[in-house]
Amino acid sequence: MADGTQSKCRAVCLISGSGTNLQAIIENINNKSLNIDLISVISDNPMAKGIQRAEKEGIDTKIIDYSTFEDRKEFDKSVEIQILDLDPDLIILAGYMKILDTNFCNIFSGKILNIHPSLLPKYKGLNTHQKVIDNNEKYHGASVHFVVPELDDGPVIIQYQCEVDKNDDHHSLQKKVLQGEYIIYSKALQWFSENRLVFDSGNIFLDGEALLKPRLIRKD
Ligand code: GAR
């Protein structure tokens, strides 16, 4: 990978929807703050706006339409075959809303990063912004983590934290959190692409040191 003597980190991005995280990643690649070769963008949803974003940039896209498969196993196998064929160094989940099967997580262990809209381990799963409001939380945010077979459970690399204001609703919180997602995801991706970030036997190492708690960026 990218350390001056080796080739660039080859990444595949999996999306299901709007793709604003993908857009931020593409912009950071284009302005050279992210040294990644985004070889393909894959969506399980043919209507995902992120596909248009990738096409506009001339990036290869693939649609593996979930609705056309007989069962979940066949779909999972098809995603696995496509990605094995691309042989990436890194798999970036950016709003990919399908749960990856255990086999996939094991094959690509240490190579899959995900962004989740909460301060993990709080609020795994869906509707995180509304849950945060319902529970009168003072803080909310986002987390980037390595993916393991258990949902939203892999070790967390970096988090973004913002305050929840009295007037916040689901939409305003989503907007605030997304702004932070773009910052922390590109940071984690850059560390990975420079071989500074490693996942080994369930532990994270950053610059050769065990990362015992996630790096934290607070909204100023
Ligand atoms: C982001 O908020 C991301 O954290 C979340 O989906 C949104 C995708 O937005 N991911 C998950 O909830 C995964 N569990 P985007 O398509 O505009 O990047």
Side-chain angles (χ1 to χ4, degrees):
M1 275 190 275
D3 65 1
T5 54
Q6 293 166 288
S7 60
K8 249 191 206 180
C9 174
R10 296 169 68 259
V12 167
C13 187
L14 266 61
I15 59 162
S16 298
S18 162
T20 65
N21 271 285
L22 167 67
Q23 185 73 51
I25 291 165
I26 291 172
E27 279 164 22
N28 284 327
I29 291 172
N30 289 348
N31 71 26
K32 308 228 179 314
S33 53
L34 197 47
N35 196 22
I36 276 179
D37 182 8
L38 190 54
I39 55 173
S40 192
V41 171
I42 300 178
S43 174
D44 62 304
N45 166 17
M47 305 308 285
K49 190 165 171 216
I51 286 292
Q52 292 164 29
R53 296 179 192 273
E55 280 171 352
K56 210 167 145 199
E57 297 291 328
I59 298 166
D60 172 68
T61 59
K62 297 185 197 314
I63 292 167
I64 306 176
D65 185 350
Y66 181 66
S67 66
T68 63
F69 286 83
E70 290 270 303
D71 61 28
R72 183 61 203 248
K73 260 199 172 142
E74 264 190 46
F75 170 78
D76 289 340
K77 197 72 205 160
S78 176
V79 174
E80 184 187 311
I81 288 168
Q82 289 274 2
I83 296 188
L84 279 171
D85 191 46
L86 290 162
D87 191 24
D89 302 307
L90 169 63
I91 299 166
I92 304 168
L93 307 185
Y96 183 64
M97 303 311 282
K98 290 277 174 298
I99 297 171
L100 296 170
D101 77 337
T102 301
N103 186 47
F104 186 94
C105 293
N106 290 337
I107 294 175
F108 299 104
S109 175
K111 289 184 173 186
I112 317 171
L113 294 185
N114 182 41
I115 186 139
H116 182 75
S118 78
L119 293 169
L120 289 171
K122 282 187 161 187
Y123 304 111
K124 295 174 181 176
L126 299 174
N127 304 322
T128 59
H129 309 304
Q130 193 56 51
K131 287 177 188 162
V132 160
I133 292 171
D134 294 346
N135 286 332
N136 291 315
E137 292 282 3
K138 195 164 179 230
Y139 298 105
H140 186 30
S143 307
V144 178
H145 65 96
F146 279 101
V147 171
V148 296
E150 297 74 29
L151 179 67
D152 299 330
D153 205 32
V156 179
I157 301 154
I158 185 167
Q159 294 185 310
Y160 175 79
Q161 184 193 71
C162 57
E163 282 187 21
V164 181
D165 298 322
K166 276 199 311 287
N167 302 327
D168 270 325
D169 62 8
H170 161 91
H171 293 291
S172 64
L173 265 191
Q174 181 187 35
K175 214 166 150 190
K176 262 192 209 175
V177 168
L178 274 170
Q179 291 308 316
E181 291 188 21
Y182 308 148
I183 298 167
I184 59 171
Y185 216 177
S186 279
K187 253 191 201 309
L189 295 173
Q190 184 59 13
W191 290 337
F192 188 95
S193 71
E194 291 171 340
N195 288 331
R196 294 172 57 194
L197 180 65
V198 175
F199 178 59
D200 188 17
S201 312
N203 299 309
I204 301 176
F205 296 86
L206 181 60
D207 293 329
E209 306 252 327
L211 188 68
L212 301 175
K213 58 178 189 170
R215 292 286 168 93
L216 181 66
I217 293 189
R218 290 192 177 88
K219 184 181 186 323
D220 38 41

